[in-house]
Structure formats: C-alpha cells, structure tokens
Amino acid sequence: MIKKCLFPAAGYGTRFLPATKATPKEMLPILTKPLIQYGVEEALLAGISTMAIVTGRGKRAIEDHFDISYELEHQIKGGSKECLLDEIRALIEQCTFSYTRQIEMKGLGHAILTGETLIGREPFAVVLADDLCHNEEMGVLEQMIEVYEKYQCSVVAIEEIPLDQTHKYGVIAGKLVDGTDDTYRVKDMVEKPDPKDAPSNLAIIGRYILTPDIFDILKNTPAGKGGEIQITDALLEQAKQGNVIAYKFKGKRFDCGSVDGFVEATNWFYRKSK
Ligand code: G1P
C-alpha cells in the first residue's frame, strides 16, 4: 500500500517571474484552483491521504491554503459563494498535511531526501505539481500504484517527446516487459541529455513511486547535471539492479512549469468546464 505522497515544492519558479516573486509557483491557478491542489486531488483519488510537502522560504501560502481561513469562512457563510470552498474543505477533511523546509536548493534529489523525515521507511509517491496530469477514468498516480503493486519496485511515469526536447527531461532506455506495450524495465537513464546523447525519446514526467532505499542512495549521490543532486542519478542505481519500471501513462500532461504549457492547460480546463 502507498499511503504517503511527497510534493517537492521549494523551487523558485523563475520562469514565472515576477508572478512568483512573492507567490509560490505551486499556488499559480489553472482557472480557480492552484496547481498543487490538482496534485493533492490526484493523490487522494489514488487512495493516498497523507501529504508530505517539502517547502522553502516564501512558501507559507501553501500551508495556509490547506487550512481553514476562519475570517473568510465567517464572511461568506450562508451566502451564494460558500459552495466555492466545498472542494478544498473536503480535501482538508480527508487528508493530513505535513511540512518540512529545504534550506538550500540543491536539486530535486536533495528535495526528495529532505522529505525522508516525513516519509520514513515505506514506499511513497512523488508529485511534481507543475506537471499537471488528467485522466477522466483513472488518475496517473492510481495507474502507477497498480504497476507498483505488480512489480514491487520504483516506478516512473514516461511520455514520448520530440527528440529536440530531451534536454528538459530525465530520459530512459529500457526493454518492454513481455506481454505489455506500456511497461519498460529500465536499463539506463540520463538527466536532461542533448538529443545526440539521449538513449530514447521516452521522458520522465513528474510522477514517481519510490522505494525507501532511494534515501540511502540519495545520501551517496554526488551532484550531477547542473551541479544538483538528481533523482534520475539515484534511480539509475536502482535500475542497475533491475528495480525500476517506466510506465507510459494513459492521459494528458501539461507542463505548467513553462508559460506555454500553463496557457495550454488553462485553455483546456476552461473548455472542459463549459
Ligand atoms: C525534473 C527531473 C527530470 C524530469 C522532470 C519532469 O526536472 O529532474 O528528470 O524529467 O522533472 O517534469 P525539472 O523539470 O524539475 O527541471
């Protein structure tokens, strides 16, 4: 059973400056809901109710969002707008939220390691909130948990990308598991390679299921691409033992870490809401 979901949320969101100067990028809204709330909803739909959030300086709005706002609730009680808080209230009731701060920004691997204190020794999910995923029938995390239950090892979600985009992602090489067309046993993985060095066009997106030995590996993982501790490098150690599955998820993904992806997501959710 996967019971906890880790949200690395300490990054600066520099691509959205000046909007992210005093507002966490995870709080930027797609329509009326902040990005991180979509991630929490996806985790809850997958049966996870313990949310572990790695924050940093300037991220308090995330904590306030997943809490009651007495003054506001008092103001709108009984009025026509009260229902606008129904969804977030239900989330707060069904989930617990715990937080720890990443003091120095040393990369995604380091952020995940910072979360060890909230996760402990059990397998857990990771959601990068700026990858917004949608699937009507079954959320991406829920799909991945099914895969985890079958293979009992770390799972990364992947998507085919144009080769000229490989420098933006962790890229895997693997062998299709017999009898499947969407599940690979990972043999190699490289963080943000140039197209000429990319082992395939299968890119990791911001959804992971990790086994807890990843923490021990991360403690010994040197800084890699960009001088940062990379989760891709730590996962490669597990992959060498045959312990990483890459799963081509069903559904849509929007890269809301970029302005183009953010606008695309906004338009798509807007049309869907009409
Ligand atoms: C991170 C990971 C990368 C992964 C990506 C998915 O990169 O390092 O391997 O493909 O998330 O969104 P970032 O987008 O944080 O630079």
PDB file of all heavy atoms in Angstrom, residues 15 108 128 130-131 168-171 191-192 203-206 208 230-232 253, ligand 1:
ATOM      1  N   ARG A  15      10.776  30.930 -14.034  1.00  0.00           N
ATOM      2  CA  ARG A  15      10.204  31.162 -15.365  1.00  0.00           C
ATOM      3  C   ARG A  15       8.913  31.983 -15.304  1.00  0.00           C
ATOM      4  O   ARG A  15       8.423  32.447 -16.308  1.00  0.00           O
ATOM      5  CB  ARG A  15       9.940  29.826 -16.070  1.00  0.00           C
ATOM      6  CG  ARG A  15      11.201  29.355 -16.796  1.00  0.00           C
ATOM      7  CD  ARG A  15      10.972  28.115 -17.582  1.00  0.00           C
ATOM      8  NE  ARG A  15      10.939  26.954 -16.699  1.00  0.00           N
ATOM      9  CZ  ARG A  15      10.706  25.725 -17.118  1.00  0.00           C
ATOM     10  NH1 ARG A  15      10.463  25.493 -18.383  1.00  0.00           N
ATOM     11  NH2 ARG A  15      10.714  24.722 -16.262  1.00  0.00           N
ATOM     12  N   LEU A 108      16.370  18.321  -7.235  1.00  0.00           N
ATOM     13  CA  LEU A 108      15.192  17.509  -6.933  1.00  0.00           C
ATOM     14  C   LEU A 108      15.536  16.315  -6.039  1.00  0.00           C
ATOM     15  O   LEU A 108      14.793  15.978  -5.115  1.00  0.00           O
ATOM     16  CB  LEU A 108      14.555  17.029  -8.254  1.00  0.00           C
ATOM     17  CG  LEU A 108      13.332  16.133  -8.134  1.00  0.00           C
ATOM     18  CD1 LEU A 108      12.213  16.803  -7.344  1.00  0.00           C
ATOM     19  CD2 LEU A 108      12.830  15.743  -9.533  1.00  0.00           C
ATOM     20  N   LEU A 128       5.309  16.148  -8.810  1.00  0.00           N
ATOM     21  CA  LEU A 128       5.817  17.494  -9.103  1.00  0.00           C
ATOM     22  C   LEU A 128       4.623  18.283  -9.624  1.00  0.00           C
ATOM     23  O   LEU A 128       4.099  18.003 -10.711  1.00  0.00           O
ATOM     24  CB  LEU A 128       6.935  17.440 -10.158  1.00  0.00           C
ATOM     25  CG  LEU A 128       8.094  16.474  -9.846  1.00  0.00           C
ATOM     26  CD1 LEU A 128       9.191  16.605 -10.906  1.00  0.00           C
ATOM     27  CD2 LEU A 128       8.661  16.721  -8.455  1.00  0.00           C
ATOM     28  N   ASP A 130       4.016  21.016 -10.920  1.00  0.00           N
ATOM     29  CA  ASP A 130       3.930  21.772 -12.177  1.00  0.00           C
ATOM     30  C   ASP A 130       3.724  20.867 -13.386  1.00  0.00           C
ATOM     31  O   ASP A 130       3.471  21.356 -14.485  1.00  0.00           O
ATOM     32  CB  ASP A 130       5.084  22.781 -12.361  1.00  0.00           C
ATOM     33  CG  ASP A 130       6.443  22.184 -12.117  1.00  0.00           C
ATOM     34  OD1 ASP A 130       6.543  20.945 -12.100  1.00  0.00           O
ATOM     35  OD2 ASP A 130       7.405  22.968 -11.952  1.00  0.00           O
ATOM     36  N   ASP A 131       3.796  19.551 -13.209  1.00  0.00           N
ATOM     37  CA  ASP A 131       3.283  18.654 -14.244  1.00  0.00           C
ATOM     38  C   ASP A 131       1.840  18.336 -13.872  1.00  0.00           C
ATOM     39  O   ASP A 131       1.581  17.610 -12.908  1.00  0.00           O
ATOM     40  CB  ASP A 131       4.100  17.343 -14.303  1.00  0.00           C
ATOM     41  CG  ASP A 131       5.294  17.465 -15.230  1.00  0.00           C
ATOM     42  OD1 ASP A 131       5.278  18.338 -16.112  1.00  0.00           O
ATOM     43  OD2 ASP A 131       6.245  16.676 -15.072  1.00  0.00           O
ATOM     44  N   LYS A 168      15.180  18.766 -21.575  1.00  0.00           N
ATOM     45  CA  LYS A 168      14.301  19.251 -20.495  1.00  0.00           C
ATOM     46  C   LYS A 168      13.926  18.160 -19.493  1.00  0.00           C
ATOM     47  O   LYS A 168      13.254  18.443 -18.497  1.00  0.00           O
ATOM     48  CB  LYS A 168      12.993  19.777 -21.100  1.00  0.00           C
ATOM     49  CG  LYS A 168      13.123  20.987 -21.957  1.00  0.00           C
ATOM     50  CD  LYS A 168      11.716  21.414 -22.354  1.00  0.00           C
ATOM     51  CE  LYS A 168      11.737  22.551 -23.329  1.00  0.00           C
ATOM     52  NZ  LYS A 168      10.417  22.688 -23.964  1.00  0.00           N
ATOM     53  N   TYR A 169      14.297  16.913 -19.789  1.00  0.00           N
ATOM     54  CA  TYR A 169      13.763  15.791 -19.001  1.00  0.00           C
ATOM     55  C   TYR A 169      14.828  14.767 -18.627  1.00  0.00           C
ATOM     56  O   TYR A 169      15.877  14.696 -19.254  1.00  0.00           O
ATOM     57  CB  TYR A 169      12.699  15.039 -19.821  1.00  0.00           C
ATOM     58  CG  TYR A 169      11.530  15.872 -20.216  1.00  0.00           C
ATOM     59  CD1 TYR A 169      11.510  16.513 -21.461  1.00  0.00           C
ATOM     60  CD2 TYR A 169      10.441  16.026 -19.378  1.00  0.00           C
ATOM     61  CE1 TYR A 169      10.422  17.292 -21.848  1.00  0.00           C
ATOM     62  CE2 TYR A 169       9.341  16.791 -19.749  1.00  0.00           C
ATOM     63  CZ  TYR A 169       9.342  17.413 -20.984  1.00  0.00           C
ATOM     64  OH  TYR A 169       8.267  18.177 -21.362  1.00  0.00           O
ATOM     65  N   GLY A 170      14.473  13.927 -17.656  1.00  0.00           N
ATOM     66  CA  GLY A 170      15.196  12.679 -17.481  1.00  0.00           C
ATOM     67  C   GLY A 170      14.716  11.736 -18.574  1.00  0.00           C
ATOM     68  O   GLY A 170      13.516  11.663 -18.848  1.00  0.00           O
ATOM     69  N   VAL A 171      15.654  11.061 -19.243  1.00  0.00           N
ATOM     70  CA  VAL A 171      15.282  10.198 -20.379  1.00  0.00           C
ATOM     71  C   VAL A 171      15.722   8.771 -20.069  1.00  0.00           C
ATOM     72  O   VAL A 171      16.824   8.555 -19.553  1.00  0.00           O
ATOM     73  CB  VAL A 171      15.946  10.706 -21.683  1.00  0.00           C
ATOM     74  CG1 VAL A 171      15.592   9.811 -22.862  1.00  0.00           C
ATOM     75  CG2 VAL A 171      15.515  12.146 -21.971  1.00  0.00           C
ATOM     76  N   GLU A 191      19.890  12.337 -17.109  1.00  0.00           N
ATOM     77  CA  GLU A 191      19.201  13.594 -16.810  1.00  0.00           C
ATOM     78  C   GLU A 191      19.502  14.626 -17.894  1.00  0.00           C
ATOM     79  O   GLU A 191      20.658  14.950 -18.152  1.00  0.00           O
ATOM     80  CB  GLU A 191      19.631  14.114 -15.429  1.00  0.00           C
ATOM     81  CG  GLU A 191      19.009  15.433 -15.013  1.00  0.00           C
ATOM     82  CD  GLU A 191      17.487  15.382 -14.758  1.00  0.00           C
ATOM     83  OE1 GLU A 191      16.900  14.281 -14.771  1.00  0.00           O
ATOM     84  OE2 GLU A 191      16.895  16.448 -14.561  1.00  0.00           O
ATOM     85  N   LYS A 192      18.454  15.109 -18.510  1.00  0.00           N
ATOM     86  CA  LYS A 192      18.491  16.207 -19.481  1.00  0.00           C
ATOM     87  C   LYS A 192      19.636  16.097 -20.501  1.00  0.00           C
ATOM     88  O   LYS A 192      20.496  16.986 -20.595  1.00  0.00           O
ATOM     89  CB  LYS A 192      18.567  17.540 -18.734  1.00  0.00           C
ATOM     90  CG  LYS A 192      17.414  17.710 -17.744  1.00  0.00           C
ATOM     91  CD  LYS A 192      17.195  19.115 -17.287  1.00  0.00           C
ATOM     92  CE  LYS A 192      15.917  19.238 -16.487  1.00  0.00           C
ATOM     93  NZ  LYS A 192      16.054  19.302 -15.062  1.00  0.00           N
ATOM     94  N   ALA A 203      10.556  10.265 -22.030  1.00  0.00           N
ATOM     95  CA  ALA A 203      10.918  11.224 -20.979  1.00  0.00           C
ATOM     96  C   ALA A 203      10.154  10.944 -19.697  1.00  0.00           C
ATOM     97  O   ALA A 203       8.969  10.586 -19.724  1.00  0.00           O
ATOM     98  CB  ALA A 203      10.615  12.630 -21.450  1.00  0.00           C
ATOM     99  N   ILE A 204      10.839  11.150 -18.588  1.00  0.00           N
ATOM    100  CA  ILE A 204      10.194  11.005 -17.275  1.00  0.00           C
ATOM    101  C   ILE A 204       9.378  12.266 -17.011  1.00  0.00           C
ATOM    102  O   ILE A 204       9.867  13.386 -17.197  1.00  0.00           O
ATOM    103  CB  ILE A 204      11.267  10.847 -16.173  1.00  0.00           C
ATOM    104  CG1 ILE A 204      12.145   9.630 -16.461  1.00  0.00           C
ATOM    105  CG2 ILE A 204      10.615  10.744 -14.801  1.00  0.00           C
ATOM    106  CD1 ILE A 204      13.384   9.541 -15.577  1.00  0.00           C
ATOM    107  N   ILE A 205       8.139  12.083 -16.563  1.00  0.00           N
ATOM    108  CA  ILE A 205       7.356  13.251 -16.152  1.00  0.00           C
ATOM    109  C   ILE A 205       7.244  13.231 -14.618  1.00  0.00           C
ATOM    110  O   ILE A 205       7.663  12.276 -13.973  1.00  0.00           O
ATOM    111  CB  ILE A 205       5.978  13.284 -16.842  1.00  0.00           C
ATOM    112  CG1 ILE A 205       5.138  12.076 -16.430  1.00  0.00           C
ATOM    113  CG2 ILE A 205       6.134  13.301 -18.352  1.00  0.00           C
ATOM    114  CD1 ILE A 205       3.801  12.444 -15.939  1.00  0.00           C
ATOM    115  N   GLY A 206       6.651  14.263 -14.077  1.00  0.00           N
ATOM    116  CA  GLY A 206       6.727  14.453 -12.621  1.00  0.00           C
ATOM    117  C   GLY A 206       5.832  13.579 -11.763  1.00  0.00           C
ATOM    118  O   GLY A 206       5.111  14.072 -10.893  1.00  0.00           O
ATOM    119  N   TYR A 208       6.305   9.790  -9.624  1.00  0.00           N
ATOM    120  CA  TYR A 208       7.196   8.684  -9.271  1.00  0.00           C
ATOM    121  C   TYR A 208       6.555   7.870  -8.142  1.00  0.00           C
ATOM    122  O   TYR A 208       5.855   8.420  -7.293  1.00  0.00           O
ATOM    123  CB  TYR A 208       8.529   9.189  -8.713  1.00  0.00           C
ATOM    124  CG  TYR A 208       9.301  10.169  -9.592  1.00  0.00           C
ATOM    125  CD1 TYR A 208       8.944  11.508  -9.667  1.00  0.00           C
ATOM    126  CD2 TYR A 208      10.421   9.752 -10.316  1.00  0.00           C
ATOM    127  CE1 TYR A 208       9.664  12.418 -10.456  1.00  0.00           C
ATOM    128  CE2 TYR A 208      11.156  10.656 -11.096  1.00  0.00           C
ATOM    129  CZ  TYR A 208      10.765  11.985 -11.157  1.00  0.00           C
ATOM    130  OH  TYR A 208      11.489  12.874 -11.938  1.00  0.00           O
ATOM    131  N   GLN A 230      20.524  14.804  -8.438  1.00  0.00           N
ATOM    132  CA  GLN A 230      19.431  14.440  -9.342  1.00  0.00           C
ATOM    133  C   GLN A 230      18.772  13.128  -8.925  1.00  0.00           C
ATOM    134  O   GLN A 230      19.462  12.124  -8.701  1.00  0.00           O
ATOM    135  CB  GLN A 230      19.963  14.300 -10.781  1.00  0.00           C
ATOM    136  CG  GLN A 230      20.594  15.566 -11.348  1.00  0.00           C
ATOM    137  CD  GLN A 230      19.579  16.682 -11.553  1.00  0.00           C
ATOM    138  OE1 GLN A 230      18.364  16.478 -11.442  1.00  0.00           O
ATOM    139  NE2 GLN A 230      20.069  17.881 -11.841  1.00  0.00           N
ATOM    140  N   ILE A 231      17.447  13.111  -8.894  1.00  0.00           N
ATOM    141  CA  ILE A 231      16.727  11.867  -8.607  1.00  0.00           C
ATOM    142  C   ILE A 231      16.986  10.842  -9.725  1.00  0.00           C
ATOM    143  O   ILE A 231      17.054   9.636  -9.473  1.00  0.00           O
ATOM    144  CB  ILE A 231      15.206  12.123  -8.404  1.00  0.00           C
ATOM    145  CG1 ILE A 231      14.498  10.853  -7.892  1.00  0.00           C
ATOM    146  CG2 ILE A 231      14.526  12.612  -9.662  1.00  0.00           C
ATOM    147  CD1 ILE A 231      14.933  10.369  -6.554  1.00  0.00           C
ATOM    148  N   THR A 232      17.181  11.345 -10.942  1.00  0.00           N
ATOM    149  CA  THR A 232      17.454  10.441 -12.071  1.00  0.00           C
ATOM    150  C   THR A 232      18.723   9.619 -11.802  1.00  0.00           C
ATOM    151  O   THR A 232      18.758   8.412 -12.080  1.00  0.00           O
ATOM    152  CB  THR A 232      17.622  11.267 -13.366  1.00  0.00           C
ATOM    153  OG1 THR A 232      16.468  12.091 -13.515  1.00  0.00           O
ATOM    154  CG2 THR A 232      17.768  10.380 -14.589  1.00  0.00           C
ATOM    155  N   ARG A 253      -0.846  15.316 -20.068  1.00  0.00           N
ATOM    156  CA  ARG A 253       0.036  16.018 -19.140  1.00  0.00           C
ATOM    157  C   ARG A 253       0.313  17.417 -19.685  1.00  0.00           C
ATOM    158  O   ARG A 253       0.564  17.577 -20.878  1.00  0.00           O
ATOM    159  CB  ARG A 253       1.368  15.308 -18.981  1.00  0.00           C
ATOM    160  CG  ARG A 253       2.301  16.102 -18.053  1.00  0.00           C
ATOM    161  CD  ARG A 253       3.748  15.708 -18.165  1.00  0.00           C
ATOM    162  NE  ARG A 253       4.326  16.038 -19.446  1.00  0.00           N
ATOM    163  CZ  ARG A 253       5.326  16.903 -19.625  1.00  0.00           C
ATOM    164  NH1 ARG A 253       5.858  17.529 -18.602  1.00  0.00           N
ATOM    165  NH2 ARG A 253       5.816  17.140 -20.833  1.00  0.00           N
TER     166      ARG A 253
HETATM  167  C1  G1P B   1      12.651  17.187 -13.093  1.00  0.00           C
HETATM  168  C2  G1P B   1      13.557  15.952 -13.215  1.00  0.00           C
HETATM  169  C3  G1P B   1      13.501  15.383 -14.624  1.00  0.00           C
HETATM  170  C4  G1P B   1      12.056  15.116 -15.008  1.00  0.00           C
HETATM  171  C5  G1P B   1      11.201  16.382 -14.831  1.00  0.00           C
HETATM  172  C6  G1P B   1       9.740  16.096 -15.051  1.00  0.00           C
HETATM  173  O1  G1P B   1      13.212  18.231 -13.855  1.00  0.00           O
HETATM  174  O2  G1P B   1      14.876  16.309 -12.852  1.00  0.00           O
HETATM  175  O3  G1P B   1      14.243  14.201 -14.696  1.00  0.00           O
HETATM  176  O4  G1P B   1      12.008  14.674 -16.351  1.00  0.00           O
HETATM  177  O5  G1P B   1      11.341  16.912 -13.514  1.00  0.00           O
HETATM  178  O6  G1P B   1       8.983  17.271 -15.011  1.00  0.00           O
HETATM  179  P1  G1P B   1      12.725  19.772 -13.694  1.00  0.00           P
HETATM  180  O7  G1P B   1      11.512  19.913 -14.555  1.00  0.00           O
HETATM  181  O8  G1P B   1      12.433  19.982 -12.243  1.00  0.00           O
HETATM  182  O9  G1P B   1      13.865  20.604 -14.185  1.00  0.00           O
END
